[in-house]
Amino acid sequence: MSSKSNLVDAIQQLIEAILKSLGYSNTKKRTWHQHVVPYEDNWAVRREGNKRITSKHRKQSTAIRKAKTLAKRYKADVIIHRESGGIRDRISYGEE
């Protein structure tokens, strides 16, 4: 049983090495989805996965407009959050 699992592990490592050499990766790629989120007493645009905000705005509508501009550029989505933090809407500009 042990030699069988060692063989399976060796084959799996070989396949991963081949895929990596061909440019495939098992790590998740960065996305460009833009989140419109409450920030202090205002609104902010933040790229998905980022801790830092991209821009701050007094109105949610202004933040949405900025997020749409960025999402169109990168063929990504805009995820609009409520003041409570829940998701209100999602707009997709990805390739169809």
Side-chain angles (χ1 to χ4, degrees), residues 37-39 43-47 50-57:
V37 295
Y39 180 76
W43 291 90
V45 177
R46 176 181 286 142
R47 186 172 60 90
N50 267 8
K51 290 183 180 169
R52 289 187 312 162
I53 60 169
T54 304
S55 57
K56 293 185 268 184
H57 306 274

Side-chain angles (χ1 to χ4, degrees), residues 15-28:
I15 291 170
E16 288 173 2
I18 292 169
L19 290 174
K20 187 175 180 181
S21 71
L22 292 172
Y24 294 99
S25 175
N26 59 352
T27 59
K28 197 171 184 180

Side-chain angles (χ1 to χ4, degrees), residues 26-68:
N26 59 352
T27 59
K28 197 171 184 180
K29 287 188 177 181
R30 253 177 26 168
T31 66
W32 288 96
H33 300 316
Q34 303 296 320
H35 289 255
V36 175
V37 295
Y39 180 76
E40 295 170 354
D41 287 335
N42 298 311
W43 291 90
V45 177
R46 176 181 286 142
R47 186 172 60 90
E48 191 168 288
N50 267 8
K51 290 183 180 169
R52 289 187 312 162
I53 60 169
T54 304
S55 57
K56 293 185 268 184
H57 306 274
R58 283 184 292 145
K59 296 181 183 178
Q60 187 185 39
S61 60
T62 310
I64 292 170
R65 193 165 46 248
K66 175 68 175 178
K68 284 181 176 181

